[in-house]
Amino acid sequence: MAGREIRRTFAVFPMGSVMKLTNFSARQIRYYEEQQLITPDRNEGNHRLFSLDDIDRLLEIRDYLDEGYSIAEVRDIYKRRKDAHRTEDAKARRLLRDEILNSGPFRQQPHKSNTFNK
DNA sequence: CTTCTGACA
DNA sequence: TGTCAGGA
């Protein structure tokens, strides 16, 4: 996580900007934070600071809402999305681990009982 | 002036 | 969800 990545997660936008960019009221934005849909940072004065990722998510939430989904349903959508991403991640790690274990200096010697004949 | 939390006449 | 209070 560096370079391009940190820029999307770097929180710098104040409430007022996010309100204009998303057309949501401060009340709604704070509520979505309570629902764990976004996780803005805070500055020295306890004022929220939003990242581009936060804004993207809010715009996405607006789309779901416009499509008729309830906030509870949107919350579930992200929960499922995260779970799917996790199992996918675990799968990738297992494959990588097996790859490392079965090649190079960590290669496991296939133990044959008959190394003589043949 | 902007944003924050808590509360609901 | 809106809105008002009282503070930072």
Side-chain angles (χ1 to χ4, degrees), chain A residues 4-20:
Chain A
R4 208 148 299 150
E5 295 299 335
I6 82 118
R7 262 174 296 184
R8 298 201 123 295
T9 59
F10 201 64
V12 292
F13 304 98
M15 181 59 88
S17 303
V18 180
M19 289 173 70
K20 292 175 182 174

Side-chain angles (χ1 to χ4, degrees), chain A residues 55-69:
Chain A
I55 295 174
D56 278 346
R57 168 149 296 192
L58 286 171
L59 291 173
E60 214 172 302
I61 293 172
R62 138 88 17 62
D63 288 339
Y64 282 125
L65 258 33
D66 289 344
E67 287 173 36
Y69 290 95

